[in-house]
Amino acid sequence: MSKNNNKTTGKKGAVGKNPDAANWRWATRQVRGGTNRSQFGETSEAMYLNSGYVYTSAEEAAARFAGDSDGFVYSRFSNPTVSMFEERMMLLEGAEAARGTATGMAAVTSALLCYLSAGDHIVAARALFGSCRYIVDTLCPRFGIEFTLVDGRDNQAWQDAVRPNTKMFFLETPANPTLDIVDIKAVADIAHNIDALLVVDNAFASPVLQRPMEYGADIVCYSATKNIDGQGRVLGGCVLASEEFVEEYLGNFMRQTGPSLSPFNAWTLLKSLETLDLRVRQMCCNAQAIAIALSDNDHFETVLYPGLPSHPQHDLAMKQMEMGGSIITLHMKGGKEEAFRFANGLSIVDYSNNLGDAKSLICHPATTTHQRLEEEMRIESGIYPGTLRLSIGLEDPQDLIEDMLQSLSRM
Ligand SMILES: *Cc1c(COP(=O)(O)O)cnc(C)c1O
């Protein structure tokens, strides 16, 4: 699957690699990739819940700090459990290198700010998760980094936004919560023509459904809090990139600024990865069935789901993604009032702004995740007063359909 998975990460304290892993198929990688057993031979990966490391001598410590000797130095830099998670993520993505981060936002912030400097320019899709948009339109300009927001679905808009100082392109696909699909290959080609890097936030699809590097993305970010944990327990994130990017930019940025992944969370995420494809595929099947069941209901202006032919970019979605994902976006005819009534009337689906969870969740982006934006900017980004984001979990889809129909019938 990957061209690059034989390479080493070149990082200090890298775990011992199983050279066979490069030949394993995806499911084997997600269960066994990166596992590095201690002298006790534990079956499941060990949790190394420690901040520091001891050295046999002052000379050894000096050699490790100088980079002349391999081994761990401090868990802000690297940790055996975190390294196992990073190694497994690299194998799943087909990336040369990875860094685990404390949250998905730590991943996005680090990927952008480790590379961009005052005077540079970033082009990003307008439809972004609220905090991702904050990084681009508020934080970057504070440090002299220019930005342009474009309609990510329009390839020409990406091209037209290019300036002589454009260094990065950033997008989500499918986007949160509009489910806009961006043509990763087309945008990667535009970026590479001007030697810019393409960063893709792949939180919605997960590496099960979409591996952006196969379409030319240079850097992939995850909120591991979402599908990767998938059980509402821990925060986490990951940046995947070339060895060169991690060595020259990301590694040192993270080492000095400290958005590191906790070993406890890395351990939880390692356990989650073992079942990632089973969970994500089942959630997609459930979401597809629910999207079909809701499609002809009169209360909805649109039922957006990338797996349905009615999604305006269904063909592109199916070219890049193996299945439609676990998120359905509903635009209710009756605006905010009706959206609130529908959400409040649900008895199985919980109201929560998390997503990618085994439990189905619903939220109203305009008053939660995208509240920060002005109404006009929200509408321009495809978030209306009647928009609801529905994250489908692992319950029986028939129970979820009945729950939604009972809430609709009482409106
Ligand atoms: C949730 C989310 C994030 C942020 O992840 P956290 O783990 O909550 O920090 C970033 N991007 C997208 C697309 C998300 O859905």
Side-chain angles (χ1 to χ4, degrees):
M1 187 200 100
S2 155
K3 305 177 279 300
N4 299 319
N5 49 33
N6 275 320
K7 298 198 178 166
T8 63
T9 60
K11 71 189 169 195
K12 304 290 169 293
V15 293
K17 286 173 208 324
N18 183 336
D20 295 337
N23 300 320
W24 291 340
R25 291 170 182 82
W26 211 85
T28 310
R29 293 176 179 203
Q30 80 170 355
V31 176
R32 292 179 174 271
T35 298
N36 186 21
R37 293 197 167 114
S38 77
Q39 73 272 29
F40 300 117
E42 63 282 350
T43 321
S44 176
E45 293 71 19
M47 192 195 311
Y48 291 91
L49 209 50
N50 62 299
S51 46
Y53 302 85
V54 294
Y55 311 93
T56 53
S57 65
E59 288 78 6
E60 197 202 336
R64 277 201 211 167
F65 269 83
D68 298 335
S69 150
D70 270 353
F72 295 94
V73 172
Y74 191 52
S75 288
R76 168 151 46 80
F77 311 167
S78 58
N79 167 281
T81 311
V82 175
S83 294
M84 286 191 262
F85 170 69
E86 292 168 343
E87 175 88 14
R88 191 168 294 175
M89 287 298 294
M90 279 162 51
L91 286 163
L92 296 182
E93 196 68 35
E96 286 179 12
R99 280 289 182 275
T101 56
T103 63
M105 283 323 303
V108 171
T109 309
S110 302
L112 268 45
L113 294 190
C114 77
Y115 188 69
L116 296 170
S117 301
D120 291 343
H121 175 236
I122 180 170
V123 185
R126 193 172 287 129
L128 290 179
F129 176 60
S131 298
C132 292
R133 176 123 169 200
Y134 166 85
I135 304 299
V136 172
D137 74 13
T138 307
L139 194 61
C140 281
R142 272 184 49 203
F143 297 97
I145 301 160
E146 299 166 15
F147 73 94
T148 305
L149 294 174
V150 298
D151 180 341
R153 297 165 296 186
D154 178 357
N155 295 343
Q156 189 60 40
W158 291 92
Q159 179 65 54
D160 293 345
V162 166
R163 298 180 190 171
N165 54 344
T166 305
K167 292 286 165 57
M168 267 187 163
F169 284 24
F170 176 56
L171 61 91
E172 289 170 16
T173 181
N176 182 355
T178 59
L179 303 179
D180 283 2
I181 309 291
V182 182
D183 187 334
I184 304 171
K185 171 86 173 60
V187 177
D189 287 347
I190 297 166
H192 296 158
N193 265 335
I194 55 156
D195 285 330
L197 299 180
L198 171 61
V199 184
V200 175
D201 179 337
N202 202 34
F204 267 41
S206 90
V208 175
L209 303 181
Q210 174 174 274
R211 289 166 297 277
M213 286 183 177
E214 292 175 359
Y215 300 96
D218 301 287
I219 297 152
V220 178
C221 296
Y222 285 103
S223 167
T225 316
K226 311 292 170 56
N227 290 295
I228 292 176
D229 174 48
Q231 288 147 88
R233 301 169 298 185
V234 298
L235 293 163
C238 192
V239 183
L240 296 121
S242 67
E243 215 172 295
E244 189 192 351
F245 184 83
V246 172
E247 267 172 25
E248 284 188 24
Y249 302 98
L250 182 68
N252 198 41
F253 179 90
M254 288 194 56
R255 182 176 170 136
Q256 313 298 353
T257 63
S260 326
L261 178 60
S262 111
F264 177 83
N265 290 6
W267 179 85
T268 309
L269 295 170
L270 273 165
K271 299 290 92 193
S272 305
L273 281 176
E274 294 178 1
T275 57
L276 182 67
D277 70 337
L278 297 176
R279 290 184 287 104
V280 169
R281 286 179 199 283
Q282 186 62 48
M283 283 153 76
C284 291
C285 291
N286 294 355
Q288 180 95 20
I290 291 161
I292 290 170
L294 297 182
S295 283
D296 58 1
N297 193 288
D298 280 349
H299 288 94
F300 303 116
E301 186 73 52
T302 29
V303 173
L304 265 182
Y305 181 66
L308 288 189
S310 57
H311 187 291
Q313 297 170 286
H314 173 69
D315 291 346
L316 176 60
M318 292 300 101
K319 203 177 99 191
Q320 297 182 166
M321 296 166 69
E322 282 181 33
M323 298 171 88
S326 57
I327 309 293
I328 302 170
T329 295
L330 304 168
H331 296 302
M332 301 212 65
K333 281 182 186 157
K336 176 179 157 185
E337 196 190 329
E338 195 164 281
F340 273 30
R341 273 173 63 202
F342 172 62
N344 288 339
L346 296 168
S347 69
I348 297 177
V349 179
D350 292 309
Y351 197 99
S352 172
N353 50 294
N354 200 4
L355 61 89
D357 196 295
K359 293 184 169 61
S360 294
L361 306 172
I362 194 163
C363 84
H364 182 251
T367 49
T368 57
T369 54
H370 292 71
Q371 191 183 105
R372 188 184 68 87
L373 295 181
E374 303 281 339
E375 166 105 22
E376 193 187 320
M377 285 164 104
R378 268 200 302 268
I379 290 182
E380 195 189 18
S381 308
I383 301 161
Y384 305 99
T387 301
L388 288 166
R389 187 188 72 193
L390 184 56
S391 169
I392 299 300
L394 293 171
E395 303 93 339
D396 189 307
Q398 199 51 42
D399 284 334
L400 298 174
I401 291 168
E402 286 169 17
D403 190 25
M404 289 185 245
L405 293 181
Q406 67 75 25
S407 180
L408 289 169
S409 73
R410 292 192 291 139
M411 293 180 52

